[in-house]
Amino acid sequence: QVRLVESGGGLVQPGGSLRLSCAASGSIFGIYTMGWDRQAPGKQRELVARVTSSGSTNYADSVKGRFTISRENAANTVYLQMNSLKPEDTAIYYCNLERRARDYWGQGTQVTVVS
């Protein structure tokens, strides 16, 4: 039983910032990777960012230099700081946790970037 709960989404103007949070609860032990995907209407879900238990990160090219992923292991929480937001960033953002070849997903949080 793993539950992921996202928060922090909302409506923001181009160039603005948002900080997403995702708290995991349940049977969380040992080494696991957390991160974020996003999906816009009519588009495929795409990887946004990942962070390992040791702190290694990777990002989609489209967000590199603008987004920063981080985690607090003791709290089983992952964050996504999003700066210089663009209309193309509009999507539902989903939190992900991967442990022992199993993926868990949150319910998603809406991010809308409009003028």
Side-chain angles (χ1 to χ4, degrees):
Q1 298 170 295
V2 176
R3 187 182 182 214
L4 304 173
V5 180
E6 302 102 328
S7 63
L11 193 154
V12 65
Q13 294 182 352
S17 297
L18 286 172
R19 183 176 172 88
L20 306 183
S21 299
C22 174
S25 61
S27 300
I28 310 299
F29 301 99
I31 300 171
Y32 56 92
T33 297
M34 297 187 72
W36 299 87
D37 282 14
R38 68 185 181 185
Q39 187 168 27
K43 305 293 184 180
Q44 294 187 58
R45 184 176 295 195
E46 65 173 340
L47 182 150
V48 176
R50 293 286 186 273
V51 57
T52 69
S53 59
S54 63
S56 297
T57 60
N58 67 281
Y59 299 90
D61 288 341
S62 59
V63 307
K64 193 171 296 182
R66 299 187 297 119
F67 292 9
T68 303
I69 189 169
S70 61
R71 65 189 286 168
E72 295 183 7
N73 290 334
N76 294 323
T77 301
V78 64
Y79 305 94
L80 186 68
Q81 179 67 46
M82 305 185 295
N83 298 326
S84 302
L85 283 161
K86 305 175 180 180
E88 306 93 271
D89 297 318
T90 296
I92 300 174
Y93 284 70
Y94 296 92
C95 181
N96 167 257
L97 186 153
E98 184 272 318
R99 178 177 180 270
R100 293 194 166 191
R102 293 186 178 184
D103 281 293
Y104 305 89
W105 298 94
Q107 82 289 347
T109 185
Q110 178 70 49
V111 172
T112 303
V113 186
V114 295
S115 60

